[in-house]
Amino acid sequence: MNNFTIGTFSALSNEEAIKLLGETFDDELKYLQSANSTPETLTNATSGAEFITPSKQLYNADYDEVNRTLLGMLALKWILANDYQSFTQAQAPAVVLQQESFDELRKLCLNQFEDSDNILPLLVAIVINDLGKSPRLAEAVEKATGKPMADANHDEVVYIAAESDMIHSLERLEETQRKDVLLGLKLGSTLNIAQFAQAESVPGSLEGAK
């Protein structure tokens, strides 16, 4: 059974989804354990005694980038499952996303799957997005390619790793899906998409969008 269709994945409990993601993306999550990151403070909505982070569920320890990545994947599950409560439970009342905005977000997301309900390519893109923050991966890339990684940004590191067939999750994708993910990594290595989306890019940083 394909566990990464919209219906199957969205029907999993949070614990089941985390376990499945941990088993599927074990190599990538191990790299993320060593990733450089800035810890974030949990909100009151998520810091209660019963709250167990995804990283603790899998590894009995907290790794910031593992948590960020798995929570991003869970957020996708909540959107697909139309689970507004889970999606917004950690948001302060003053800034909570309104139901109408969530509905628009879900509609936008579902529109991307008109031709297929296979969400594996998107999950692969999420899990490898910040792998370049891992010193272990940078060292492995430098050793495998002979290219110095000291001055490379983390998006460049993961793109070179992917081009060098060092990212195992890409092997799970069909060729056209793999090419699409690689194209996104190539663009991301030269253009900060988040800055671009928020209209914060200076002209020089748009060279990669040519």
Side-chain angles (χ1 to χ4, degrees):
M1 181 178 67
N2 182 0
N3 289 311
F4 296 109
T5 63
I6 291 176
T8 303
F9 185 67
S10 63
L12 298 174
S13 69
N14 292 338
E15 291 75 16
E16 290 170 337
I18 291 169
K19 180 180 179 183
L20 173 64
L21 294 168
E23 293 171 349
T24 304
F25 300 112
D26 181 63
D27 288 342
E28 289 76 14
L29 294 174
K30 293 282 179 60
Y31 274 125
L32 286 172
Q33 290 179 17
S34 68
N36 298 317
S37 65
T38 302
E40 296 179 1
T41 301
L42 294 175
T43 67
N44 290 336
T46 59
S47 58
E50 296 182 358
F51 179 71
I52 301 176
T53 64
S55 178
K56 277 190 175 180
Q57 181 178 323
L58 290 177
Y59 307 113
N60 201 31
D62 267 327
Y63 300 101
D64 294 324
E65 290 301 331
V66 172
N67 280 326
R68 287 192 182 103
T69 298
L70 289 174
L71 284 171
M73 291 171 156
L74 285 178
L76 174 62
K77 185 184 88 69
W78 296 331
I79 291 171
L80 296 175
N82 200 20
D83 188 353
Y84 172 76
Q85 181 177 355
S86 293
F87 192 85
T88 59
Q89 67 178 343
Q91 298 176 6
V95 295
V96 67
L97 185 74
Q98 297 301 302
Q99 178 73 60
E100 295 80 5
S101 298
F102 176 81
D103 293 341
E104 285 296 318
L105 177 62
R106 183 169 186 269
K107 180 180 178 181
L108 177 65
C109 183
L110 291 175
N111 284 344
Q112 309 310 308
F113 297 102
E114 288 183 345
D115 299 325
S116 171
D117 68 348
N118 182 10
I119 62 170
L120 182 59
L122 180 54
L123 291 172
V124 169
I126 293 172
V127 79
I128 68 179
N129 181 61
D130 284 331
L131 287 187
K133 294 180 180 179
S134 167
R136 283 184 52 231
L137 180 63
E139 292 170 6
V141 170
E142 189 166 310
K143 183 176 181 180
T145 66
K147 299 178 181 178
M149 293 290 108
D151 295 326
N153 63 55
H154 73 267
D155 294 309
E156 291 174 310
V157 172
V158 72
Y159 173 60
I160 295 171
E163 279 278 278
S164 304
D165 296 325
M166 298 175 65
I167 308 297
H168 294 161
S169 58
L170 288 170
E171 299 171 5
R172 297 176 175 272
L173 303 181
E174 298 174 2
E175 184 62 23
T176 55
Q177 297 169 342
R178 182 175 179 277
K179 287 181 178 179
D180 286 343
V181 174
L182 283 173
L183 182 60
L185 292 175
K186 182 179 181 181
L187 178 60
S189 69
T190 56
L191 173 67
N192 188 313
I193 301 296
Q195 287 183 351
F196 179 73
Q198 297 177 82
E200 296 177 350
S201 297
V202 297
S205 68
L206 300 177
E207 288 290 323
K210 287 184 176 179

